[in-house]
Structures are given as C-alpha cells and as structure tokens.
Amino acid sequence: MILPFPPMERTVQVVTPPDAAGSSLLDFLTLRYNYLNREQWHQEIQRGNLFLDGAAAQEHTPLRGGEVLFFQAGDLEEQEVSFQIQILEEQEDYLLLHKPGNLPCHPAGRFFNHTLWAWLRQARHLSHIHFVNRLDRETSGIVLVGKNPRFAATAAKLFHSLCGETQKKYLVLVHGRVPWKHYFANGWLMKDPHSPVEKKRCFQPILNQGDSDVVELPEDEEAVTAQTDFRLLDYRRPPTPGEPPGRFPQDEQGNFSLLEATLHTGRTHQIRATLCSLGFPVVGDKLYGVDDTIFLRFATSTLSPQDWQRLLLPTQALHAWKLAIPRLKIQATAPPPFLPHGLG
C-alpha cells in the first residue's frame, strides 16, 4: 500500500536473554520472533541483515546470552492497514484521536510504518509520543496521546484510577440475544486450555462473592482478576441488500446484542475473552468470535470466503466510544463503524 507519509527505516536491536544460551541463532529467532518463519529468518541472515555483537551473524552460531543482536529490517513486508484517522481534539499537551479498526497503535512484529505511532511521527511530526490508552489492532475508537511525559503520566494515573471519576466505555456487538439487562462480570482471566491459539484467554467467574479466603483460586498461576460491567442497549440484525454494508440496524427480533461495556480493570483481551466465555462471541472477532481457528488462518493469510462470511465484518465489532477525564477537562465520544447512525 502507498503510505500517506514518508516511510522510516526500521532497525531492531535487542540483547539476547540468558535462557537463549545454547540455542543456535536460527532456532532462537524462529521461536522468539514468529512474524517470520524459519525459512524467512534464514533468508534474512543470508542477506546480511543480522549482526551479533557487531559482526555478521551466522545462523548456526550458538548463543551465550547477553549478545547484542541487530536486525536491519528495512524491506520487511507489512500487512495493509487503514489510516482513516480522525482528530477529535488537539491541545498543547495532547491529541484525542478516533482510530479505525485494522491499525496497530505501536510497532510490533511485522508492523512498523503501518502503525498509528508512525503516522503520529511522520504525518503529525510529533517527536514525543505517549499513548495514555492503547487499543488492539482491530479495535476502533478513541485514543488519547500525550505530547509530553508530564501530561502522559498525569493522564495515565487518572485513566487507570479506581475512583470512578474517569469514564471509559466501549460498545460491542455480539452473537446471540443476551438474557439480561445488566451483568457484572467478576472473575479470572487465564489461558484457555481448550484453544489451539497460544495467546487466547478465557474468563472464569468467581462463584462465591464473599470473603477472599473462601474464593477458589484458579489452577493457572498467571491468572488475573477482571471486572467488567455489561449493559444491554438493544438487539440488532445484519444489513439486508440495499442497506449500508457492515452496519447492523436495530431490530427487537434480531439475533445479535449491542452492549455497553465499562471496564473496572484493564486486562489484555478483557471484554472479548469475557463475552466469549459467557457464550456471546464478538462479531468479526477472529480470535474470540465463532471459531478461533479462523485466527490461525488469518495469521497465515489463508482465510477462505467461508471464513469471511462467518465473520460478517472485516474487523471486530468492539469500539472505544466514550472517554471522560474531568480533572483534565477531557470528554469525547466517537460513533462506531458497525452501527447505521451512532446508536440508531
């Protein structure tokens, strides 16, 4: 794709960890950085794009741990994204943005120039970028960006506070008709033992809401607590021919539910994993939707027409639609892309 700004040259420098000792360089790269497969890493080494402690790297070199690994990744192909970014407000200390789906906030894996971070640097010419909140690549909605570390630290403290003053609300469209008007999901997020996807998580409710000493702990030692308020707004249906594509109209007989989610904790994949485990997968979600094997095919660019038909939307129907930090006089709303007109 043609970038709307001059691309930057990408270089990566890391220090190999102690647990890499004894592994060959090629084994280490293949296991640790899976955005390239083994053959692709082999090709990058053969091209002379990797260096260990300043010398040209050899793929069978045994690592000791602690070496400086340098990767010159200038021609690494990146997947297409959307740069349809809307500026909601700009002040001396911050930017409020409406991020589209299919745009990572910051560089990771293959993504570097195809990120919101790169757009802020190259198109908005910001030398200091501090994300107060970050959204997943396919989550659309409001992003607050600090222009200096002082503002960013203050805003982040208020954003993550539990005082109830700050508001951060999401809209999410799910498969199925939820039977409740309001549900407080209080429980644990942990690795999903039944999923073929390593990073997928599941939600386990805390059944006994009493004293902490009688709450049963999950077996997963890396499990974290998660609390989310869900409120049913209405029921929806897919668009029919002649209606705007990708936008679900309101229909009291519809088989999809539109929910408002309010976070009380900020865990990775919290809303999506919780709703999937409750039996209401997110529309368009390749990992927490109707079939998590779709994610594996998406990662290898092998999605079939049938997969896209099951997804119903090109990106997940999760949208950060309201943000308010009264102490900083910040208040913003942004309509989601999967509804006809705002909440209509």
Side-chain angles (χ1 to χ4, degrees), residues 199-249:
K199 69 177 182 178
K200 187 178 181 183
R201 306 178 119 196
C202 64
F203 174 77
Q204 177 181 306
I206 295 176
L207 300 179
N208 190 322
Q209 303 288 341
D211 296 335
S212 60
D213 59 351
V214 297
V215 173
E216 184 177 352
L217 298 178
E219 294 183 2
D220 185 351
E221 295 182 354
E222 297 182 0
V224 293
T225 56
Q227 293 87 36
T228 315
D229 261 309
F230 293 105
R231 182 168 66 95
L232 173 66
L233 298 180
D234 54 46
Y235 296 113
R236 299 273 163 164
R237 63 167 173 81
T240 57
E243 294 181 324
R247 297 180 181 268
F248 283 59

Coordinates of all heavy atoms in Angstrom, one line a residue, residues 199-249:
K199 N -2.1 -17.6 22.7 CA -2.4 -16.4 23.4 C -3.9 -16.2 23.8 O -4.2 -15.2 24.5 CB -1.9 -15.1 22.6 CG -2.7 -14.8 21.4 CD -2.2 -13.6 20.7 CE -3.0 -13.2 19.5 NZ -2.5 -11.9 18.9
K200 N -4.7 -17.1 23.4 CA -6.2 -16.9 23.8 C -6.4 -17.1 25.3 O -5.8 -18.0 25.9 CB -7.0 -17.9 23.0 CG -8.5 -17.6 23.2 CD -9.4 -18.6 22.4 CE -10.9 -18.2 22.5 NZ -11.8 -19.1 21.8
R201 N -7.3 -16.3 25.8 CA -7.6 -16.4 27.2 C -9.1 -16.7 27.4 O -9.9 -16.5 26.5 CB -7.3 -15.0 27.9 CG -5.9 -14.6 27.7 CD -5.6 -13.2 28.4 NE -4.6 -13.3 29.4 CZ -4.4 -12.4 30.3 NH1 -5.2 -11.3 30.4 NH2 -3.5 -12.5 31.2
C202 N -9.4 -17.2 28.6 CA -10.8 -17.4 28.9 C -11.2 -16.8 30.2 O -10.3 -16.4 31.0 CB -11.1 -18.9 28.9 SG -10.2 -19.8 30.2
F203 N -12.4 -16.6 30.5 CA -12.9 -16.0 31.7 C -13.6 -17.0 32.6 O -14.4 -17.8 32.1 CB -13.9 -14.9 31.3 CG -14.6 -14.2 32.5 CD1 -13.9 -13.3 33.3 CD2 -15.9 -14.6 32.8 CE1 -14.5 -12.7 34.4 CE2 -16.5 -14.0 33.9 CZ -15.9 -13.0 34.7
Q204 N -13.2 -17.0 33.9 CA -13.9 -17.9 34.9 C -14.5 -17.0 36.0 O -13.8 -16.4 36.7 CB -12.8 -18.8 35.5 CG -13.4 -19.7 36.6 CD -12.3 -20.6 37.2 OE1 -11.7 -21.4 36.5 NE2 -12.2 -20.6 38.5
P205 N -15.8 -17.0 36.1 CA -16.5 -16.2 37.1 C -16.1 -16.7 38.5 O -15.9 -17.8 38.7 CB -18.0 -16.4 36.8 CG -18.1 -17.0 35.5 CD -16.8 -17.7 35.2
I206 N -16.0 -15.7 39.4 CA -15.9 -16.0 40.8 C -17.3 -16.3 41.4 O -18.2 -15.5 41.4 CB -15.3 -14.9 41.6 CG1 -13.9 -14.6 41.1 CG2 -15.3 -15.2 43.1 CD1 -13.2 -13.4 41.8
L207 N -17.5 -17.6 41.7 CA -18.9 -18.0 42.0 C -19.3 -17.6 43.4 O -20.4 -17.2 43.7 CB -19.0 -19.6 41.9 CG -18.7 -20.1 40.5 CD1 -18.9 -21.6 40.5 CD2 -19.7 -19.5 39.5
N208 N -18.3 -17.6 44.3 CA -18.5 -17.2 45.7 C -18.0 -15.7 45.8 O -16.8 -15.5 45.8 CB -17.8 -18.1 46.7 CG -18.3 -17.8 48.2 OD1 -18.5 -16.6 48.5 ND2 -18.4 -18.8 48.9
Q209 N -18.9 -14.8 46.0 CA -18.5 -13.4 46.0 C -18.2 -12.9 47.5 O -18.1 -11.7 47.7 CB -19.6 -12.5 45.4 CG -20.0 -12.9 44.0 CD -19.0 -12.5 43.0 OE1 -18.1 -11.6 43.3 NE2 -19.0 -13.1 41.8
G210 N -18.0 -13.8 48.4 CA -17.8 -13.4 49.8 C -16.4 -13.1 50.1 O -15.7 -12.5 49.2
D211 N -15.9 -13.4 51.2 CA -14.5 -13.1 51.7 C -13.5 -13.8 50.8 O -13.7 -14.9 50.3 CB -14.3 -13.5 53.1 CG -15.2 -12.8 54.1 OD1 -15.6 -11.6 53.7 OD2 -15.5 -13.3 55.1
S212 N -12.4 -13.1 50.6 CA -11.4 -13.6 49.7 C -10.8 -15.0 50.1 O -10.3 -15.7 49.3 CB -10.2 -12.6 49.5 OG -9.6 -12.4 50.8
D213 N -10.9 -15.3 51.4 CA -10.3 -16.5 51.9 C -11.1 -17.7 51.5 O -10.7 -18.9 51.8 CB -10.0 -16.5 53.4 CG -11.3 -16.2 54.2 OD1 -12.3 -15.9 53.6 OD2 -11.2 -16.3 55.4
V214 N -12.4 -17.5 51.0 CA -13.2 -18.7 50.6 C -13.4 -18.7 49.1 O -14.1 -19.5 48.6 CB -14.6 -18.6 51.3 CG1 -14.4 -18.7 52.8 CG2 -15.3 -17.4 50.9
V215 N -12.7 -17.8 48.4 CA -12.8 -17.8 46.9 C -11.8 -18.8 46.4 O -10.6 -18.8 46.7 CB -12.5 -16.4 46.3 CG1 -12.4 -16.5 44.8 CG2 -13.5 -15.4 46.8
E216 N -12.3 -19.7 45.5 CA -11.4 -20.7 45.0 C -10.5 -20.1 43.9 O -10.9 -19.5 43.0 CB -12.3 -21.8 44.4 CG -11.4 -23.0 43.8 CD -12.3 -24.1 43.3 OE1 -13.6 -24.0 43.4 OE2 -11.8 -25.0 42.7
L217 N -9.2 -20.4 44.1 CA -8.2 -19.8 43.1 C -8.1 -20.7 41.9 O -8.2 -22.0 42.0 CB -6.9 -19.7 43.8 CG -6.8 -18.7 45.0 CD1 -5.4 -18.7 45.6 CD2 -7.2 -17.3 44.6
P218 N -7.9 -20.2 40.7 CA -7.7 -21.0 39.5 C -6.4 -21.7 39.5 O -5.5 -21.3 40.2 CB -7.8 -20.0 38.4 CG -7.3 -18.7 39.0 CD -7.8 -18.7 40.4
E219 N -6.3 -22.8 38.7 CA -5.1 -23.5 38.7 C -4.0 -22.8 37.9 O -2.8 -22.9 38.2 CB -5.3 -24.9 38.0 CG -6.2 -25.8 38.8 CD -6.4 -27.2 38.1 OE1 -5.7 -27.4 37.0 OE2 -7.1 -28.0 38.6
D220 N -4.3 -21.9 37.0 CA -3.4 -21.1 36.3 C -2.8 -20.1 37.2 O -3.4 -19.1 37.6 CB -4.1 -20.4 35.1 CG -3.1 -19.7 34.2 OD1 -1.9 -19.6 34.5 OD2 -3.6 -19.3 33.1
E221 N -1.5 -20.2 37.4 CA -0.8 -19.3 38.3 C -0.7 -17.9 37.8 O -0.4 -16.9 38.5 CB 0.6 -19.8 38.7 CG 0.5 -21.1 39.5 CD 1.9 -21.6 39.9 OE1 2.9 -21.0 39.5 OE2 2.0 -22.6 40.6
E222 N -0.8 -17.7 36.4 CA -0.7 -16.4 35.8 C -2.1 -15.8 35.6 O -2.2 -14.7 35.0 CB 0.0 -16.6 34.4 CG 1.4 -17.1 34.6 CD 2.1 -17.1 33.2 OE1 1.5 -16.8 32.2 OE2 3.3 -17.5 33.2
A223 N -3.1 -16.4 36.2 CA -4.5 -15.8 36.1 C -4.5 -14.5 36.8 O -3.9 -14.2 37.8 CB -5.5 -16.8 36.7
V224 N -5.3 -13.5 36.2 CA -5.5 -12.2 36.8 C -7.0 -12.0 37.0 O -7.8 -12.5 36.3 CB -4.9 -11.1 36.0 CG1 -3.4 -11.3 35.9 CG2 -5.4 -11.1 34.5
T225 N -7.3 -11.1 38.0 CA -8.7 -10.8 38.2 C -9.2 -9.8 37.1 O -8.4 -9.0 36.6 CB -8.9 -10.2 39.6 OG1 -8.1 -9.0 39.7 CG2 -8.6 -11.2 40.7
A226 N -10.5 -9.9 36.8 CA -11.1 -9.0 35.8 C -12.5 -8.7 36.2 O -13.3 -9.6 36.5 CB -11.0 -9.6 34.4
Q227 N -12.8 -7.4 36.1 CA -14.2 -6.9 36.4 C -14.7 -6.0 35.3 O -14.0 -5.1 34.9 CB -14.3 -6.2 37.7 CG -14.0 -7.0 39.0 CD -12.6 -7.1 39.3 OE1 -11.8 -6.2 39.1 NE2 -12.1 -8.3 39.8
T228 N -15.9 -6.4 34.7 CA -16.5 -5.6 33.6 C -17.9 -5.5 33.9 O -18.6 -6.5 34.2 CB -16.2 -6.2 32.3 OG1 -14.9 -6.7 32.1 CG2 -16.6 -5.3 31.1
D229 N -18.5 -4.3 33.7 CA -19.9 -4.1 33.7 C -20.4 -4.1 32.3 O -19.9 -3.4 31.4 CB -20.3 -2.7 34.3 CG -20.7 -2.8 35.8 OD1 -21.5 -3.6 36.1 OD2 -20.1 -2.0 36.6
F230 N -21.5 -4.9 32.1 CA -22.1 -5.0 30.8 C -23.6 -4.6 30.9 O -24.3 -4.9 31.8 CB -22.1 -6.4 30.2 CG -20.7 -6.9 29.8 CD1 -20.0 -7.9 30.6 CD2 -20.1 -6.5 28.7 CE1 -18.8 -8.3 30.3 CE2 -18.8 -6.9 28.4 CZ -18.1 -7.8 29.2
R231 N -24.0 -3.8 29.9 CA -25.4 -3.3 29.9 C -25.9 -3.5 28.5 O -25.3 -3.1 27.5 CB -25.4 -1.8 30.3 CG -26.8 -1.2 30.3 CD -26.8 0.2 31.0 NE -26.1 1.1 30.2 CZ -26.7 2.0 29.3 NH1 -28.0 1.9 29.1 NH2 -26.0 2.8 28.6
L232 N -27.1 -4.2 28.4 CA -27.7 -4.4 27.1 C -28.4 -3.1 26.6 O -29.2 -2.5 27.4 CB -28.8 -5.5 27.3 CG -29.7 -5.7 26.0 CD1 -28.9 -6.2 24.8 CD2 -30.8 -6.7 26.4
L233 N -28.0 -2.7 25.4 CA -28.7 -1.5 24.8 C -29.9 -1.9 24.0 O -30.9 -1.3 24.1 CB -27.6 -0.7 24.0 CG -26.4 -0.2 24.8 CD1 -25.5 0.6 23.9 CD2 -26.9 0.7 26.0
D234 N -29.7 -2.8 23.1 CA -30.8 -3.3 22.2 C -30.3 -4.5 21.4 O -29.2 -5.0 21.6 CB -31.3 -2.2 21.2 CG -30.1 -1.6 20.4 OD1 -29.3 -2.4 19.8 OD2 -30.1 -0.3 20.3
Y235 N -31.2 -5.0 20.6 CA -30.9 -6.2 19.7 C -30.8 -5.7 18.3 O -31.3 -4.6 17.9 CB -32.0 -7.2 19.8 CG -32.1 -7.8 21.2 CD1 -33.2 -7.6 22.0 CD2 -31.1 -8.6 21.7 CE1 -33.3 -8.2 23.2 CE2 -31.2 -9.2 23.0 CZ -32.3 -9.0 23.7 OH -32.4 -9.5 25.0
R236 N -29.9 -6.4 17.5 CA -29.6 -6.0 16.1 C -29.7 -7.1 15.2 O -29.8 -8.3 15.5 CB -28.2 -5.4 16.1 CG -27.9 -4.2 17.1 CD -28.2 -3.0 16.3 NE -28.4 -1.8 17.2 CZ -28.4 -0.6 16.8 NH1 -28.2 -0.3 15.6 NH2 -28.6 0.4 17.7
R237 N -29.7 -6.8 13.9 CA -29.7 -7.8 12.8 C -28.7 -7.3 11.7 O -28.3 -6.1 11.6 CB -31.0 -7.9 12.2 CG -31.5 -6.6 11.5 CD -32.8 -6.9 10.6 NE -33.3 -5.6 10.1 CZ -32.8 -5.0 9.1 NH1 -31.8 -5.4 8.4 NH2 -33.4 -3.8 8.7
P238 N -28.2 -8.3 10.9 CA -27.3 -7.9 9.8 C -28.0 -7.0 8.8 O -29.2 -7.1 8.7 CB -26.8 -9.2 9.2 CG -27.1 -10.2 10.3 CD -28.3 -9.7 11.0
P239 N -27.3 -6.2 8.0 CA -27.9 -5.4 7.0 C -28.5 -6.3 5.8 O -27.9 -7.4 5.5 CB -26.8 -4.5 6.5 CG -25.6 -5.3 6.8 CD -25.8 -6.0 8.1
T240 N -29.5 -5.9 5.2 CA -30.1 -6.5 4.1 C -29.6 -5.8 2.8 O -29.1 -4.7 2.9 CB -31.6 -6.5 4.1 OG1 -32.1 -5.2 4.2 CG2 -32.1 -7.3 5.3
P241 N -29.8 -6.4 1.6 CA -29.4 -5.8 0.4 C -30.1 -4.4 0.3 O -31.3 -4.3 0.5 CB -29.9 -6.7 -0.7 CG -29.8 -8.1 -0.1 CD -30.2 -7.8 1.4
G242 N -29.3 -3.4 -0.1 CA -29.8 -2.0 -0.2 C -29.5 -1.2 1.0 O -29.6 0.0 0.9
E243 N -29.2 -1.8 2.2 CA -28.8 -1.1 3.4 C -27.3 -1.0 3.4 O -26.6 -1.7 2.8 CB -29.3 -1.9 4.6 CG -30.8 -1.9 4.7 CD -31.3 -2.6 6.0 OE1 -30.6 -3.6 6.4 OE2 -32.3 -2.2 6.6
P244 N -26.8 0.0 4.2 CA -25.3 0.2 4.2 C -24.7 -1.1 4.7 O -25.0 -1.6 5.7 CB -25.2 1.3 5.3 CG -26.5 2.1 5.2 CD -27.5 1.0 4.9
P245 N -23.7 -1.6 3.9 CA -23.0 -2.8 4.3 C -22.2 -2.6 5.6 O -21.6 -1.6 5.9 CB -22.1 -3.1 3.1 CG -21.9 -1.8 2.5 CD -23.1 -1.0 2.7
G246 N -22.1 -3.7 6.4 CA -21.3 -3.7 7.6 C -21.9 -2.9 8.8 O -21.3 -2.8 9.8
R247 N -23.2 -2.5 8.6 CA -23.8 -1.7 9.7 C -25.1 -2.4 10.1 O -26.0 -2.7 9.3 CB -24.1 -0.3 9.3 CG -22.8 0.5 9.0 CD -23.1 1.9 8.6 NE -21.8 2.6 8.3 CZ -21.1 3.3 9.1 NH1 -21.6 3.4 10.4 NH2 -20.0 3.9 8.8
F248 N -25.2 -2.8 11.4 CA -26.3 -3.6 11.9 C -27.4 -2.7 12.4 O -27.3 -2.1 13.5 CB -25.8 -4.5 13.0 CG -25.0 -5.7 12.5 CD1 -23.8 -5.5 11.8 CD2 -25.4 -7.0 12.9 CE1 -23.1 -6.6 11.3 CE2 -24.6 -8.1 12.4 CZ -23.5 -7.9 11.6
P249 N -28.6 -2.7 11.8 CA -29.7 -1.9 12.2 C -30.4 -2.5 13.5 O -30.3 -3.7 13.8 CB -30.7 -2.0 11.1 CG -29.9 -2.6 9.9 CD -28.9 -3.4 10.5

